[in-house]
Amino acid sequence: MAERVSEREAEVLAALGARLSNAQIAHRLHISVRTVESHVSSLLRKYGMADRWALAELARSGEREPGLVVGLPASSTTFVGRDSERAAVMAALEEARLVTLLGPGGVGKTRLAAVAAESAVASFPSGGGFVDLVPVRDGFVARAVATTLGVTEGSHQPLDEAVAARLGTGRSLLVLDNCEHVIDEAAEFAERILAACPGTRVLVTSRERLGLPGERSVPIAPLPLGSDAERLFHDRALTADPEFVAEPAVVADLCARLDGMPLAIELAAARGASLGATGLLAALEDALRLLSGGRGGDERHRSLRAVLSWSYDLLGEEEQALFRRLGVFVGAFDLDAAAAVGGDRASVADLLGRLVDKSLVVHVRGRVSRWRLLETVRAFALAEMSAAGEEDKTRARHLRWAADAASTAEGRLGDPAWREDFDAMAADLRAALAASGGPGEVTHRLASALAHLTFARRHLLESFAHHRTAAAVAPDAASAARDLRAGAGCAHVSTTSNQHVYDLLLEAAEQAQRSGDDRGRAIDLARAVETACRYPEAFETGIPHERLRGLLDDAGRAGSGDDPEVAACVTVARAWLAGPAKGAPDIELASAAVAATRATADPVLISSGLCAAGTAALHAGRLREANRITRERLRLLPSMDRDDPYCAPEICNTYGRACVYAIMAGDLPGGMAAARAGIEDDLLSDTHITASRLVQPLVLTGRFRDAIGYAERMWDQWERAGRPAPLWMLPAVCTTVLACAMVEDDVALWRSRAAEVAGGTLGTAAVAAFVDARLALHDGRYDAADPLVRQAFAVNEPLDPYLAYARAAGAELAVAAGLPDAADRLAAASPLAEENAWTAACLARARGRLHEDPSELARSIEAWERLDAQAESAHTETLRAQLDA
């Protein structure tokens, strides 16, 4: 076993997850920095990780104990034999990154994989997960892994990326159990994870190889006769009947006829109490004779089919009926689910107990008792259900149960246990919907509830698909319109193009028109216009202005001007449409939009009106006002329902705008708070996008080590995401160059990354000019000051977040270097200080330098302290001390 983490180490690990420096951890825990360093070194060793960033990643995932493989199936029976196979698996995991246990159904691959994984935890200090793929259908392998690992999607974050981030770079073990029915998808997923997570090993159980390069196969044969097979039989027979006795020769004959197959042996042994060994042997001989074809084909499957058929024939009629119908469940089911397909609750509870005693049903103990059928047993039950002509009736009951269960789960979203219960039945909800066969009230109820539940569970892409399905199977146009509207909100955070949002809103408007809902149609059309104008960069092709004007005119005609919500939506859309350009609303109409939305008392609509006003203020150069308005939007977020897709676009947009606007206004505490809140919000999650937003205020406030840690995380997550268009990442990468220089870290690495991200535009980027000027000032490289100052003042993009920073840093560098135009540079930059607090503090310091004025330096220090800019404040204090001297 891996070494356990002490209580103090757990506290240090949690602090690392909060991105605290060693000094901050020491202060918080009242210990020395040297002691913190010792604990960090111990944690690195115990978890097998290379750096504190990897530890922080682990801490943020909620994992605390090294070597914990989540999802390992618990067993109430002993594990018999398999010493050589277990050793072979352990050796293979040391030598190969992908190991596949190969063998037929019922041979014991799952049990061996679980035992091997439990034995291997010491070799995998980063832990991992054991994922049962039996209930998983095509398209849901990554989802099953994510659920096991406790991973959810964030806005525009692919699920594979989220899983890879959870597994990280340390040594972890991922077990994919029963892959054969999703073999191609499992192979593709395993290949992606192995490429993204260099320390991860993947252990697979399957009836066939994945077919990937480097795959190591370990064949799993039936238990050897004359030893392990007989030991297993005795063990299971004594479980059923503690007084069971049998002649060794009879047991040996029994196991030989069962071909040493563990599942067949266990099924037979469960009958030992009632039939005795001799009776078992006679019954098995009869069962084998009933199977035609002699011993041809796979004898193991023949013997397993025989013992299943024989066990089934020994059941009473009620037991047989329930057993057949339980085959409809692809995963574990509770008592209510079993009763929904099998009869009244009391009778089903009794019958389940009998089926468990006969080893045909497995009892899964937990907070809620559940049961399941092993894969091979379930296949047999389904065949019997079909032969009995009960399939249509049973599947209809299964569908109704699924719809009722999903609807009940919707009402429990505030219950802390709802996620666990949903995860347990999710595979059956999906299976019931897939097998439903077409439109209808029950199918729609299931699809709609499943769309809501998967959104709340942060299965965002899946939720989007279910919303589309719900609209397609809706019993009426009004229901379809509601599903499409919710789907539009989901699409905003789950897809990379708002073209989907726009199209869905237009579809919703059409359905609203069909249902006679003029109000709904007006709102849908107005929101479609707002989407096209507010997010023009997220469209594959621009929507012509004439088309949008026509849609907004239609919205005005369809809706009543007396309806506050209609009026608000139309007014917001009109403000965006009337602006000087897409993405820039009309300033007067934006003010009207705020008034109209406030009349609704709907926080989502109010936020949309404020966004128009804030964006208009930004384009008018009123950065502080834009920042103030966006802070008001942040205060609205707690009143928005995180489980409702309608709220999602405003939540995500507010965090993004708040971070950018705070930087533009020099509001470093505000930018820091917004960035941290965004990372903690599970709708956005901790991704390369949210990490990049936090890097910048961390650098600007002088928290250089923390900034570098987040920057490394950002870069790693960006690479895991497939290195998407990186230009938006340039401010974070460039400010990391500044952080590295300040602490003498790897400046060259981050400069090369900045050049890569900029793609030839680095020389004209305001943030690069700011960083170069600030570093020249820090290093006293005044011989290079003139070109750097000219570069800082050459930038002339009014909406560039770092324009004011570049000009202020350039002006101060001109002063410090004694350039002849220093006073002119200072005067030219001064207007920017009115809208940017960082610039105001920097220019006050520059004036103090130029005029040797201690009062200006004092004003600068006060401003830096308000901004919590530690390094800048310290630097200014040094200047003041030098001036005083």
Side-chain angles (χ1 to χ4, degrees):
M1 284 290 291
E3 296 180 68
R4 295 186 65 84
V5 170
S6 69
E7 183 176 349
R8 179 63 84 190
E9 286 171 341
E11 292 175 331
V12 172
L13 183 62
L16 289 172
R19 297 296 183 188
L20 299 184
S21 66
N22 284 356
Q24 290 170 317
I25 296 172
H27 178 74
R28 171 181 287 189
L29 300 181
H30 305 291
I31 57 180
S32 70
V33 173
R34 186 178 295 276
T35 301
V36 174
E37 291 171 349
S38 175
H39 286 314
V40 171
S41 297
S42 176
L43 288 166
L44 291 171
R45 175 177 53 79
K46 289 181 178 181
Y47 282 104
M49 292 182 168
D51 53 42
R52 64 187 288 127
W53 169 72
L55 284 174
E57 181 180 68
L58 187 76
R60 292 181 63 80
S61 73
E63 181 76 64
R64 290 294 183 272
E65 200 62 34
L68 178 63
V69 178
V70 296
L72 274 173
S75 180
S76 58
T77 58
T78 56
F79 183 70
V80 176
R82 300 290 194 196
D83 292 339
S84 60
E85 288 97 333
R86 193 188 325 188
V89 174
M90 299 295 285
L93 285 172
E94 281 297 316
E95 298 167 2
R97 296 191 60 211
L98 174 62
V99 178
T100 300
L101 308 190
L102 287 173
V107 79
K109 302 184 297 297
T110 295
R111 188 70 188 276
L112 176 59
V115 170
E118 190 171 12
S119 301
V121 292
S123 299
F124 298 99
S126 294
F130 190 105
V131 186
D132 177 16
L133 295 181
V134 167
V136 176
R137 61 188 180 90
D138 284 335
F140 288 89
V141 169
R143 170 75 57 226
V145 176
T147 299
T148 297
L149 296 176
V151 169
T152 57
E153 295 167 66
S155 175
H156 305 137
Q157 181 190 35
L159 194 59
D160 287 358
E161 179 189 336
V163 171
R166 167 62 182 82
L167 292 172
T169 56
R171 284 181 60 85
S172 58
L173 176 65
L174 180 62
V175 184
L176 303 178
D177 184 37
N178 290 291
C179 290
E180 50 275 340
H181 63 298
V182 286
I183 192 73
D184 292 336
E185 185 182 349
E188 291 173 4
F189 176 81
E191 189 171 31
R192 289 193 295 271
I193 291 301
L194 291 170
C197 305
T200 296
R201 296 285 195 273
V202 178
L203 177 62
V204 168
T205 74
S206 180
R207 297 179 193 179
E208 59 178 301
R209 288 169 49 88
L210 297 191
L212 296 178
E215 181 178 12
R216 178 74 61 85
S217 298
V218 180
I220 307 302
L223 291 172
L225 300 174
S227 58
D228 290 344
E230 289 81 1
R231 284 176 54 209
L232 177 65
F233 181 89
H234 272 292
D235 183 87
R236 301 305 191 256
L238 287 171
T239 299
D241 178 9
E243 299 181 1
F244 177 84
V245 292
E247 291 292 329
V250 175
V251 173
D253 195 4
L254 248 171
C255 291
R257 290 179 180 276
L258 294 172
D259 301 305
M261 289 293 284
L263 178 56
I265 290 172
E266 293 193 4
L267 288 168
R271 290 291 185 173
S274 57
L275 296 178
T278 305
L280 285 174
L281 184 59
L284 182 60
E285 287 176 341
D286 290 340
L288 286 168
R289 276 197 297 270
L290 289 175
L291 288 178
S292 60
R295 301 288 283 183
D298 192 329
E299 296 179 4
R300 303 162 186 171
H301 287 158
R302 180 175 180 272
S303 60
L304 186 53
R305 287 197 303 274
V307 77
L308 279 168
S309 179
W310 162 66
S311 296
Y312 175 75
D313 289 342
L314 290 176
L315 297 175
E317 287 186 12
E318 289 184 327
E319 292 171 330
Q320 286 183 341
L322 179 62
F323 173 71
R324 289 193 304 266
R325 294 166 188 170
L326 293 179
V328 77
F329 291 103
V330 299
F333 49 86
D334 62 12
L335 183 56
D336 289 335
V341 301
D344 71 89
R345 206 169 185 272
S347 298
V348 166
D350 176 59
L351 294 170
L352 273 174
R354 292 190 232 165
L355 293 172
V356 169
D357 290 341
K358 296 171 174 67
S359 293
L360 288 167
V361 172
V362 178
H363 186 194
V364 184
R365 289 177 171 82
R367 182 182 57 82
V368 175
S369 275
R370 292 186 171 88
W371 294 262
R372 67 184 295 242
L373 273 63
L374 296 177
E375 176 193 14
T376 308
V377 177
R378 177 175 178 261
F380 178 84
L382 284 172
E384 292 298 320
M385 180 174 67
S386 179
E390 296 176 336
E391 185 167 3
D392 290 345
K393 182 179 180 180
T394 305
R395 291 202 180 279
R397 289 179 174 178
H398 184 243
L399 176 63
R400 185 166 293 279
W401 160 80
D404 292 342
S407 297
T408 300
E410 277 190 288
R412 294 183 53 227
L413 289 178
D415 182 344
W418 85 267
R419 289 177 178 83
E420 177 188 341
D421 293 340
F422 170 73
D423 290 346
M425 66 181 178
D428 268 291
L429 300 184
R430 294 169 185 136
L433 182 59
S436 61
E441 185 276 329
V442 177
T443 303
H444 176 259
R445 187 154 52 90
L446 172 57
S448 184
L450 191 52
H452 187 191
L453 291 167
T454 49
F455 182 84
R457 193 65 180 89
R458 296 299 179 256
H459 303 338
L460 302 179
L461 279 172
E462 180 184 356
S463 176
F464 175 55
H466 289 319
H467 279 111
R468 296 304 304 261
T469 299
V473 301
D476 55 71
S479 298
R482 286 193 296 271
D483 294 320
L484 290 165
R485 288 174 195 131
C490 187
H492 185 96
V493 294
S494 63
T495 66
T496 58
S497 170
N498 275 325
Q499 184 78 47
H500 295 297
V501 181
Y502 174 82
D503 291 340
L504 285 169
L505 288 170
L506 293 186
E507 288 184 48
E510 290 179 11
Q511 294 292 342
Q513 185 175 28
R514 286 182 55 201
S515 68
D517 179 12
D518 291 337
R519 177 181 182 276
R521 179 168 179 264
I523 291 172
D524 294 333
L525 290 173
R527 289 180 60 208
V529 173
E530 177 194 353
T531 299
C533 297
R534 185 175 169 185
Y535 308 105
E537 70 284 353
F539 277 73
E540 287 88 354
T541 57
I543 311 298
H545 189 273
E546 295 75 16
R547 166 68 170 155
L548 296 175
R549 180 171 296 282
L551 292 174
L552 191 56
D553 289 344
D554 287 349
R557 287 190 293 269
S560 168
D562 297 332
D563 186 302
E565 187 175 351
V566 171
C569 290
V570 170
T571 305
V572 169
R574 184 174 291 120
W576 286 101
L577 184 62
K582 285 184 179 178
D586 178 272
I587 194 163
E588 292 184 4
L589 291 177
S591 296
V594 173
T597 56
R598 289 195 195 281
T600 68
D602 178 349
V604 173
L605 283 179
I606 295 170
S607 179
S608 71
L610 290 170
C611 182
T615 308
L618 182 79
H619 281 267
R622 301 200 297 267
L623 306 184
R624 291 178 187 267
E625 181 182 346
N627 184 49
R628 177 189 58 76
I629 291 171
T630 307
R631 287 202 305 271
E632 183 178 350
R633 293 182 68 198
L634 283 170
R635 291 193 292 272
L636 289 171
L637 293 184
S639 61
M640 296 186 194
D641 185 354
R642 290 302 193 283
D643 297 333
D644 186 350
Y646 167 64
C647 303
E650 285 304 320
I651 294 171
C652 293
N653 178 263
T654 297
Y655 281 125
R657 296 279 175 119
C659 293
V660 174
Y661 289 9
I663 292 293
M664 296 183 77
D667 175 13
L668 305 187
M672 185 89 74
R676 289 195 185 280
I679 284 180
E680 296 300 329
D681 195 308
D682 71 344
L683 192 58
L684 279 75
S685 192
D686 188 354
T687 67
H688 53 292
I689 297 173
T690 51
S692 75
R693 294 171 180 166
L694 184 54
V695 168
Q696 299 168 69
L698 284 172
V699 175
L700 294 172
T701 56
R703 292 165 172 81
F704 301 126
R705 289 290 183 190
D706 291 343
I708 293 167
Y710 268 98
E712 289 286 1
R713 181 181 187 84
M714 169 194 71
W715 192 267
D716 181 72
Q717 290 172 328
W718 175 65
E719 291 189 321
R720 290 181 196 277
R723 300 168 69 90
L727 194 56
W728 58 265
M729 216 161 56
L730 185 61
V733 176
C734 284
T735 51
T736 303
V737 173
L738 176 60
C740 289
M742 291 296 187
V743 296
E744 299 181 355
D745 209 321
D746 201 342
V747 178
L749 171 65
W750 283 96
R751 280 200 180 277
S752 68
R753 288 176 170 177
E756 177 184 351
V757 167
T761 64
L762 192 60
T764 60
V767 67
F770 157 64
V771 168
D772 288 342
R774 186 64 189 84
L775 286 181
L777 182 72
H778 177 265
D779 298 337
R781 290 185 287 106
Y782 299 143
D783 55 330
D786 186 56
L788 292 178
V789 171
R790 282 190 276 109
Q791 178 190 7
F793 279 83
V795 178
N796 195 30
E797 173 50 58
L799 294 182
D800 191 308
Y802 282 89
L803 172 67
Y805 295 86
R807 296 277 178 88
E812 186 176 16
L813 177 59
V815 170
L819 297 183
D821 60 349
D824 293 337
R825 296 294 191 185
L826 194 55
S830 292
L832 296 173
E834 297 177 9
E835 297 294 337
N836 184 294
W838 190 97
T839 297
C842 182
L843 292 180
R845 184 170 65 197
R847 286 191 296 272
R849 283 177 182 268
L850 180 64
H851 302 298
E852 297 186 350
D853 184 348
S855 64
E856 287 284 12
L857 293 179
R859 276 192 286 274
S860 177
I861 290 169
E862 290 175 5
W864 292 130
E865 288 176 347
R866 284 194 298 272
L867 296 179
D868 194 26
Q870 301 169 357
E872 299 292 356
S873 180
H875 176 59
T876 314
E877 287 278 13
T878 300
L879 287 176
R880 183 167 66 171
Q882 291 172 350
L883 184 61
D884 290 342

